[in-house]
Amino acid sequence: MNRVEIRIPSDLVFERVVRAATQEIGRQMGFSEERVADLTLAVSEAVANAIEHGNRFQREVHVGIVFSLEADQMVVRVIDQGRPDRPLEVRRQGLTEEALQQGDFRGLGLFLIHQLVDRVEFSTSEEGNTFTMWLHINAPDEQARRQTP
Amino acid sequence: MIQMEDRGNVAVIHIRTPSIDALSAREIEEYCGRSRKTTVLDFAEVAFINSAGISGLLKFIVAARKRGHLVYAVNVSPHHRKIFKMVELSRFMPILEPHELAQLLS
């Protein structure tokens, strides 16, 4: 597999379709089940953001997801047609007592993405926004990597 | 999608869906206000949870805490244990082992 493209309407129902495809692609690429789970969650979050914040749930506007191989990395690009004023805010830490009391659960998705993949990039243009994620194919499981001093 | 086992002060809420996401989290939120003094969410059938699903769980936890109730999780997969720890969800919803749940229910 060198490149797989999927286009979905901006409806969260279809995020589930992307998720199923991501699992299969991850397995075909030889990722461990734990890395497949990390990849699937990261792609789920990026696609949900594109649907919600990029295309603002306009069903007739599509989100594109492109999986490709670049050297020893899997690259996933999630492309929407929106124009946010600025990139979404990335949460600096997990949940706190204060956040819980205030009901402030924003930014969890991006926080998770940054924890789960090796590299993230956000770019914007006249055509829309592209959120790109890189995962090393032969990297050890995320948990094992983070436990290594 | 949700089955509630009510034992008075203890309730076990079995989440009977493989996916807790933006679509299914709404059903969990509908159970806000139905917690018991000790409420255990059973994740045995859950294969996927994203941030929208976590937000739904948090709304349930916040509602339970306002009533002075405690929420626990059981049958959490290793991947979801990692995610819960990553976002610090396990601080607010500690994970029980199945034998600890059995003790609670005995």
Side-chain angles (χ1 to χ4, degrees):
Chain A
M1 182 209 87
N2 287 325
R3 187 179 170 96
V4 174
E5 293 187 38
I6 302 169
R7 285 181 80 223
I8 58 164
S10 294
D11 184 321
L12 289 172
V13 167
F14 297 101
E15 179 271 315
R16 291 178 169 181
V17 175
V18 177
R19 206 189 299 162
T22 304
Q23 282 184 329
E24 194 55 44
I25 291 168
R27 287 179 185 134
Q28 290 297 322
M29 299 290 290
F31 283 123
S32 69
E33 280 304 305
E34 184 56 29
R35 285 286 273 170
V36 169
D38 291 347
L39 169 69
T40 304
L41 178 53
V43 172
S44 164
E45 298 293 353
V47 170
N49 278 342
I51 290 171
E52 183 179 350
H53 302 290
N55 293 345
R56 300 183 188 276
F57 295 111
Q58 299 174 83
R59 266 180 134 258
E60 69 280 8
V61 181
H62 288 85
V63 173
I65 304 97
V66 181
F67 300 86
S68 59
L69 259 183
E70 291 180 11
D72 64 341
Q73 295 182 94
M74 181 176 192
V75 185
V76 186
R77 290 184 172 84
V78 178
I79 303 151
D80 67 50
Q81 296 172 52
R83 288 187 185 177
D85 294 329
R86 55 190 165 82
L88 294 170
E89 188 181 335
V90 181
R91 199 180 188 98
R92 291 178 181 274
Q93 58 181 348
L95 293 159
T96 61
E97 184 66 46
E98 187 184 14
L100 195 73
Q101 286 181 4
Q102 293 175 351
D104 178 13
F105 312 141
R106 291 171 301 166
L108 277 179
L110 272 180
F111 174 78
L112 280 169
I113 292 172
H114 281 263
Q115 297 290 313
L116 295 171
V117 306
D118 296 311
R119 186 180 150 209
V120 168
E121 188 177 282
F122 178 81
S123 63
T124 189
S125 72
E126 287 298 311
E127 288 76 37
N129 309 298
T130 302
F131 189 87
T132 308
M133 298 172 283
W134 285 262
L135 284 94
H136 289 286
I137 291 170
N138 295 318
D141 285 350
E142 188 276 340
Q143 197 168 25
R145 279 191 296 132
R146 289 179 193 283
Q147 284 172 353
T148 306
Chain B
M1 189 201 92
I2 287 179
Q3 188 184 350
M4 187 164 170
E5 193 182 337
D6 196 345
R7 303 276 191 98
N9 278 339
V10 181
V12 183
I13 295 179
H14 303 281
I15 303 170
R16 304 233 184 264
T17 175
S19 172
I20 306 181
D21 57 13
L23 302 174
S24 56
R26 292 171 197 155
E27 295 185 47
I28 294 170
E29 290 171 34
E30 285 173 12
Y31 274 72
C32 290
R34 294 182 64 179
S35 60
R36 296 292 177 264
K37 191 173 176 184
T38 301
T39 302
V40 183
L41 300 181
D42 177 10
F43 292 86
E45 296 180 28
V46 178
F48 179 84
I49 308 173
N50 64 12
S51 64
I54 291 171
S55 292
L57 295 171
L58 287 168
K59 286 175 187 168
F60 181 87
I61 293 166
V62 168
R65 282 164 54 118
K66 281 181 180 168
R67 304 173 75 200
H69 295 170
L70 296 172
V71 180
Y72 296 91
V74 72
N75 295 320
V76 180
S77 72
H79 174 71
H80 290 139
R81 282 176 187 256
K82 179 180 81 176
I83 299 301
F84 286 3
K85 191 175 174 190
M86 214 173 252
V87 300
E88 308 265 9
L89 178 59
S90 34
R91 280 178 59 194
F92 308 105
M93 182 175 65
I95 297 172
L96 296 179
E97 297 305 321
H99 72 271
E100 293 175 303
L101 174 61
Q103 283 173 355
L104 268 178
L105 294 176
S106 63

